[in-house]
Amino acid sequence: MTTRRTFLKWTALSAALLSVKKSSARKISFPAGETKPIVISTWRHGIEANADAWKVLAEGGRALDAVEKGVMNTENDLRNQSVGLGGIPDRDGHVTLDACIMDEKGNCGSVCFLEHIKHPISVARLIMEKTPHVILVGEGAQKFALDNGFTLEKFDRTPESDKAWKEWLKKSEYKPVANFENHDTIGMLAIDKAGNISGSCTTSGMGYKMHGRVGDSPIIGAGLFVDNEVGGACATGTGEEVIRICGSHTVVEMMRAGHSPEEACKIAVERISKSPKNIKEMQIGFLAVNKHGEFGGYALQKGFNYAVQSQEIDNQLQDAKYLW
Ligand code: ASP
């Protein structure tokens, strides 16, 4: 168990080792006891998702239940072409879904490359709660879902995503799209009345990806990370770049070192900006909340926004600052 003494020692050591620029960083202490609940989530679709999550939090429910319920709203919406079964397919026409979830105790579950199941986030939660594993993929994940009462949705693509795919096939040109209609992956972070933090992340992944490709969204530490002593973070955008720097874990560690959520997200974005790949046309955004309920986001380029619902803020969309 981490004592306060070992925690502080670790903080000092890691800050020195990482040569973190500490000018704007400040020491934070994380009080126990009752906190004000908050839920934040990526992009415009976060508004509806937050509303469902808030119903759980306002009744004194658990953050874990809130982040599952919240993103199920987005997964349910077949008009959404970046989350759930309405998503843009891969190059071969398959809609393959990725999701993960993490609670205040460090429990986590993840599902990758899942087809024909409406709620990957609930499959991820079940993997977390009912199996000795963290990640299930593809056919095995689908079998696990069906064995546990999930229904096989028989359609391959919605009429809209089918049309978009057939149009894409004419040129078959692959290019990650920045700020895709303002609704890429949904990542959600919540703190409940007890002060516990949980997070969720769910996506259909990059449109027209290679068959079998998995992005950052279901990878614990990349698309999502929660440490109940410090805070939580989630990511959206070109997953390959987020994976390369263990993005969400990096953000949480920067908060542990004393940075505000926004500063921590900025540090992760700055690291990505040094990527060896050509990232000029990509978008990557991080969102974070700390144990005090302070939150912030930061993106590579203009256009990333996120929804915030708390006792003080009535489910508003906020624009993230950006690097270029
Ligand atoms: N991060 C997701 C992925 O790389 C997609 C996105 O957020 O746009 O699969």
Side-chain angles (χ1 to χ4, degrees):
M1 211 172 89
T2 315
T3 61
R4 183 169 164 75
R5 182 179 294 236
T6 52
F7 171 70
L8 290 174
K9 228 169 152 185
W10 188 93
T11 301
L13 186 66
S14 62
L17 285 174
L18 294 168
S19 313
V20 172
K21 239 171 104 193
K22 296 283 285 188
S23 54
S24 52
R26 69 201 153 81
K27 281 263 173 289
I28 42 175
S29 60
F30 301 116
E34 197 165 295
T35 327
K36 288 181 186 165
I38 182 169
V39 57
I40 58 177
S41 58
T42 55
W43 304 105
R44 191 174 57 218
H45 51 201
I47 296 280
E48 290 83 22
N50 279 2
D52 279 0
W54 190 248
K55 284 181 202 152
V56 178
L57 296 174
E59 284 168 11
R62 215 179 144 196
L64 180 68
D65 293 323
V67 297
E68 182 190 6
K69 283 271 149 36
V71 303
M72 280 173 79
N73 180 304
T74 325
E75 290 177 343
N76 257 329
D77 183 0
L78 289 182
R79 292 163 309 173
N80 190 313
Q81 291 191 306
S82 57
V83 176
L85 292 173
I88 295 284
D90 65 21
R91 295 172 199 194
D92 300 343
H94 298 270
V95 177
T96 67
L97 306 178
D98 298 334
C100 73
I101 194 159
M102 190 161 189
D103 76 5
E104 76 280 3
K105 296 183 186 120
N107 294 312
C108 49
S110 156
V111 66
C112 311
F113 193 61
L114 181 66
E115 292 185 74
H116 298 288
I117 301 285
K118 198 175 197 175
H119 289 301
I121 196 64
S122 303
V123 180
R125 180 168 177 174
L126 213 62
I127 292 167
M128 170 175 98
E129 292 179 336
K130 296 267 165 66
T131 80
H133 307 305
V134 170
I135 307 176
L136 290 183
V137 308
E139 269 178 39
Q142 191 189 70
K143 182 176 183 307
F144 169 78
L146 297 178
D147 288 349
N148 283 282
F150 287 80
T151 313
L152 197 67
E153 307 289 337
K154 299 228 168 70
F155 64 96
D156 288 327
R157 296 170 293 279
T158 60
E160 291 74 24
S161 63
D162 187 65
K163 197 172 157 211
W165 175 57
K166 286 182 176 146
E167 198 51 43
W168 179 83
L169 280 176
K170 289 181 188 164
K171 284 194 185 156
S172 298
E173 191 189 23
Y174 179 69
K175 211 165 143 204
V177 181
N179 302 325
F180 175 70
E181 293 180 8
N182 193 273
H183 55 63
D184 289 313
T185 299
I186 183 155
M188 175 176 276
L189 303 161
I191 307 183
D192 60 28
K193 218 174 153 193
N196 287 324
I197 310 169
S198 292
S200 60
C201 192
T202 177
T203 189
S204 53
M206 299 301 290
Y208 315 119
K209 60 195 174 187
M210 288 175 73
H211 188 58
R213 180 263 190 189
V214 170
D216 62 314
S217 305
I219 309 294
I220 298 294
L224 174 73
F225 193 69
V226 171
D227 183 324
N228 210 46
E229 284 189 348
V230 178
C234 57
T236 181
T238 310
E240 283 73 7
E241 296 305 318
V242 177
I243 292 171
R244 256 188 270 283
I245 67 145
C246 297
S248 294
H249 182 261
T250 295
V251 173
V252 171
E253 293 310 304
M254 290 302 105
M255 291 195 288
R256 193 194 304 275
H259 290 278
S260 72
E262 186 183 295
E263 286 164 5
C265 292
K266 185 177 181 205
I267 290 166
V269 167
E270 282 169 347
R271 278 194 197 175
I272 286 178
S273 73
K274 296 180 188 124
S275 168
K277 304 287 175 186
N278 179 11
I279 58 164
K280 280 285 168 227
E281 286 177 35
M282 294 179 192
Q283 174 64 304
I284 291 117
F286 290 99
L287 187 56
V289 66
N290 71 15
K291 191 75 180 165
H292 296 304
E294 295 165 339
F295 60 86
Y298 208 87
L300 205 50
Q301 55 172 297
K302 194 174 175 185
F304 172 47
N305 52 19
Y306 55 93
V308 184
Q309 167 75 72
S310 68
Q311 274 156 351
E312 290 83 28
I313 302 168
D314 193 15
N315 214 2
Q316 276 171 19
L317 214 49
Q318 309 215 355
D319 289 323
K321 290 190 190 149
Y322 50 93
L323 205 59
W324 58 55

